[in-house]
Amino acid sequence: MSSTLLLVVFITAIVLVVGGLGVALLLSPYSTNKQKSETYECGIPTRGTSWMQFKVGYYLFAILYLMFDVETVFLFPWATAVRTFGIAGLVSIAFFILILVLGLAYAWKKGALEWK
């Protein structure tokens, strides 16, 4: 019975995703012109190719920012309900912050936060 339920969930997920994409494709407005197909860079026409590689450091910095930004968002609900959690909640959030600090120290040691 469990495998049947799992199959139903997968089929439902696939149907909903394909159906949502199909409805969006059918209902969304579509128009093309020369200006829409050009590369946009603040209104200034591009010179040369618009495909260029960025340094990996930019990506690493962005991923670290997102990671710590999302993790910080988890602190807000905890702060609003801190009195109801008691000492167990305090210990769990201290462990959570310790993991964040260790991750930051590791990234700092590896030089991911330096612009070279």
Side-chain angles (χ1 to χ4, degrees), residues 19-110:
L21 289 174
V23 168
L25 186 65
L26 291 174
L27 296 179
S28 64
Y30 183 75
S31 66
T32 60
N33 59 29
K34 184 177 184 260
Q35 192 173 17
K36 281 188 177 181
S37 63
E38 290 181 6
T39 305
Y40 179 74
E41 286 190 14
C42 301
I44 301 170
T46 59
R47 287 181 281 171
T49 179
S50 60
W51 291 99
M52 59 201 260
Q53 289 184 338
F54 291 101
K55 290 172 44 175
V56 171
Y58 298 139
Y59 295 109
L60 291 176
F61 197 82
I63 289 171
L64 284 172
Y65 172 77
L66 286 175
M67 181 179 70
F68 286 108
D69 188 45
V70 169
E71 300 299 334
T72 304
V73 169
F74 288 129
L75 293 176
F76 288 111
W78 174 82
T80 59
V82 67
R83 291 185 184 172
T84 60
F85 294 145
I87 195 73
L90 185 63
V91 169
S92 66
I93 205 66
F95 183 68
F96 179 74
I97 291 173
L98 175 71
I99 291 173
L100 286 178
V101 169
L102 289 175
L104 179 62
Y106 177 77
W108 197 336
K109 182 180 177 190
K110 289 292 187 177

